[in-house]
Amino acid sequence: MKPIVEVNNLSVEYTRGDQKVGAVAGVDLHVGAGEILGLVGESGCGKSTLGKAIVGILQGADGEVNFDGQQVSKIGRGQRDAHFRNLQMIFQDPYGSLNPRRKIGDQIADGPRIGGISKSEALEKAASLLERVGLPRNAVERYPHQFSGGQRQRIAIARALAISPKVIIADEPISALDTSSQAAVANLLVNLVEEFQMGLIFISHDLSIVRRISDRVAVMYLGKIVETGKTEEIWNSPAHPYTKALMSAIPHADGKAFIPLDLPGDVPNPAYPPSGCRFHPRCPLAQGECASREPLHVSLSDGRKVSCILQEAGSAPKTLTF
Amino acid sequence: MTLLSVRNLTVTLMTASGPADAVRNLSFDIERGQILGIAGESGSGKTMTALSIMGLLPYKGKASGSINFDGEELVGFKPKDLRRVRGKDVAMIFQDPMTSLHPMLTIETQLTEHLRHHRKVSKGEARARALELLDTVKIPDPKTALKAHPSQFSGGMRQRIAIAMALACQPKLLIADEPTTALDVTVQAGILKLLDELRKSQNLSVIVITHDLGVLSALTNRLMIMYAGAEVESGPTSQVLTRPRHPYTQGLIDALPDSGANGKRLIAIEGMPPELGKFPTGCAFHTRCSFARSECKSGTPNKVDIDGIRRIFCTVDPFDTPAGVNR
Amino acid sequence: MASRFGNSNSIWRQPLAVVGIIIILFWVFAAIFAPLISPYDPLSQDSDKFLMPGSLHWMGTDELNRDIFSRVIYGARISLPYSILLVVLSAFLGSIIGGISGYFGGRVDAIIMRLTDMFFAFPAIVLAMAVAAALGPEIRNAVIAITIVSWPVYARLVRGLILNAKQNDYVTASSLLGSSSLRTLVVDLRPNLAGPVFVLASLEVGNALLLLSGLSFLGLGAQPPAAEWGSMVSMGAVNFDRWWVGLFPGLAILSAVLAFNFIGDALRDALDPRTAKALRD
């Protein structure tokens, strides 16, 4: 499958004081049509920054993002190029992502209207999209405060859908929602990806939801992708100690009173990333050379890629135990 | 031994459209050294239940019924007496640890002030106790930590400090409202471990309030599920999670990403939780329940007692199957 | 759910606001029906000069034998419409400048903000005097002068509101959909500004009236023989031993300014508390 979005060696920096901080440090990613890529990692790992750089909200310091054959550049003051309007983003906070003072219908109609469609046609489209995401058509006449968090997230999805995007980057789209709404919004995204053959990058800190809905997973730690591959394979035999730690830390509602494993220490300050493998200070399997040598991003025999010296290029993933 | 006994607690709040019951006729007990979990979505009344125990209800909020804490009745207490109980015997931590930490003061000032206010100890004693507390919650290098400000710590460390602060006066009951919701999973696991150790080492009773059934499964002995201000099901955690009897509990469990096999689709509960003041009549869940019958729309749901340790509030009780039989 | 603007009826529950509204309604009534209310022509000089207030001339007469009561009533026809016009003009100008400053940021913003700093460094009346004097003494020029010195406060407010609103995801989402900065400014951000600007404007009416009267007092605003409160007060200042000449137009100014401020305060409280805070900061 030919990828629609291809990220090559992308780095994103921001300035804190006089200091340059590398939030994303050389990332490769791709997602194809009808595919869901789960991007997981903990707070401060740079996953949101990466998402924003992919759509062009942030400027990459190095590397490039290709979308459907053209290189993405940062959004400027003028109208965004029609080609890149097919690359959309959905945000975490359903309260901040809709304008509280504008009618739902007008907000959904924005995209088509900028694309040159008449107001009445655009509003008609908005109404049918609202229906598609499970809301009444007459919601076009209402304001965001009349809706719950889950419903607002559906509205935000409808707004992105209004211009028939080819790829959606969803940044923690369900983490701010109630349990009831979480499942429904996740299902909606899965259905839409299949129906419209969109590519979806689903950014989340929650490995259990990512495992359920994504075809492939990329695990990010401190600005770098440490492991990427097919979801089931990673879930069955994590090849990077961080992936394993992340999985082991999830508490399961199985009534077994089992307290999951914690990972000592905190995510280091990205302004001063540890030498060698960035995970080594917290890694239960770290060896002497992890502190000095940065591991290569190698391909294993099952096609996944991992950055850990415990794994050998071309061979099957070694089972990690800790 | 029962530490806290809540009976027929009803909390009435003032909303824009008049008074509304946020908590309805709630009864539960907590034993010493036990962890009770209260699960529910937003608007289920779980936080209001905690705040009424703390005597911290919002303006014009009113609690009725009975909250008996260690032999003392808290409903109708004078604010002065409430403060005495609240600060010393009952402590609370929140989702955002900065709720209980002052951003401009050092950890030492905050911890020792608290101790000296409630326990009237000398400065030296207070400092020694502060160090001991930081050690208890596993803050590395407590001496340096004392001199630092909250902003110098990560979210997980701040929550540990908030717990140290809550423990300062050796409370008998700790209420933790979404204590790990804002934290990363790897950090969350550490806090869960800490709370469990505290329960064991200090015979502390804990109420954990969260929507995360995984957290409750890891930590709690007993579990109460709330919906629209009322209890729908309660019992030993393992039983409630493995053999739920109320359709809402079943729905919550089915909606989890790691349960059921439905391909990429999760099993969602239709509709959404009702807002305060708009709770449906009868069984509040009947509008979303696939088992609902006409009798669910009015009256109160039937209370079903199971072996004296579990109960559900459901007139239909669709999962009433002989023990051990798998559905 | 309550409206974002709070309960608009609540302004009626604030006693001072009600007093303010009654006073303003009185002056509006006076302005509209001035010919019917006033016993004399405000410009006729057929009495004696400097008559004490009495049954014939309730507020006495001035140095040109004119009836002060009639002139105060007619004065409402100048003071009220002009101060409202002033507020509308400066709110409009300030919002546009502030909008540009907040949305474009960078150097544009820096230059505009330093400019507003310069305006804030001088007392408004001093600047207005300078501008009005340069343009020539005429009421139209006074309006221009006051508008020029009054816009910065709106520009600051609007800029702050936009900087705040710009951080919202919906602004980002809008630019991802292809909205240009200008469209975002007009379509997405404008609705956020209406409320706070309206509140500030209502608080500023009193100020505008005071500035206009001040310029007229100095001879830079309304020109003789027009009946304008500020210039009437200045006559009183020249003839300070005849207390009634300046007192009554002065009281008229005081009552109108107070009334506008009462209403503005009440509006601020009645509207979103966040707005109130943005204004105080």
Side-chain angles (χ1 to χ4, degrees), chain A residues 55 57 75-80 85 88-89 91 93 96-102 110-111 114 145 159 163, chain C residues 1 4-5 103-104 168-170 172-181 183 187-189 191-192 272 274:
Chain A
V55 290
I57 297 169
I75 298 169
R77 296 240 162 85
Q79 275 201 8
R80 196 179 184 209
R85 279 184 220 149
Q88 284 299 320
M89 184 154 187
F91 300 88
D93 175 16
S97 62
L98 296 175
N99 190 337
R101 312 213 185 231
R102 291 183 65 210
D110 266 353
I114 293 165
H145 73 257
R159 179 178 58 191
I163 49 174
Chain C
M1 200 181 232
R4 292 188 67 84
F5 283 106
Y103 200 82
F104 290 93
N168 282 313
D169 287 338
Y170 64 79
T172 312
S174 172
S175 63
L176 283 175
L177 291 168
S179 183
S180 64
S181 295
R183 188 178 189 278
V187 175
D188 261 314
L189 298 180
N192 298 327
D272 202 320
R274 270 182 323 152

Side-chain angles (χ1 to χ4, degrees), chain A residues 42-43 178 180 187 191 252, chain B residues 41-42 184 186 258 265-266:
Chain A
E42 295 178 286
S43 54
D178 261 325
S180 298
N187 286 350
N191 291 338
H252 295 285
Chain B
E41 298 179 87
S42 57
D184 284 319
T186 56
D258 51 358
R265 268 65 164 193
L266 303 165

Side-chain angles (χ1 to χ4, degrees), chain A residues 42-43 148 151 178-180 187 191 194 208-209 212-213 215 251-255 257-259 261-263 266, chain B residues 41-42 154 184-186 188-190 193 196 213-214 217-218 238 242 256-259 262-266 272 288:
Chain A
E42 295 178 286
S43 54
S148 70
Q151 291 173 320
D178 261 325
T179 321
S180 298
N187 286 350
N191 291 338
E194 287 184 6
S208 53
I209 178 74
R212 187 68 182 266
I213 69 166
D215 302 292
H252 295 285
D254 51 12
F258 175 73
I259 296 194
L261 287 176
D262 63 320
L263 194 57
D266 287 308
Chain B
E41 298 179 87
S42 57
S154 66
D184 284 319
V185 272
T186 56
Q188 161 174 286
K193 203 159 114 190
D196 192 53
L213 295 181
S217 168
S238 58
T242 52
L256 295 173
D258 51 358
S259 72
N262 197 17
K264 285 183 175 182
R265 268 65 164 193
L266 303 165
M272 53 179 177
R288 304 171 69 192

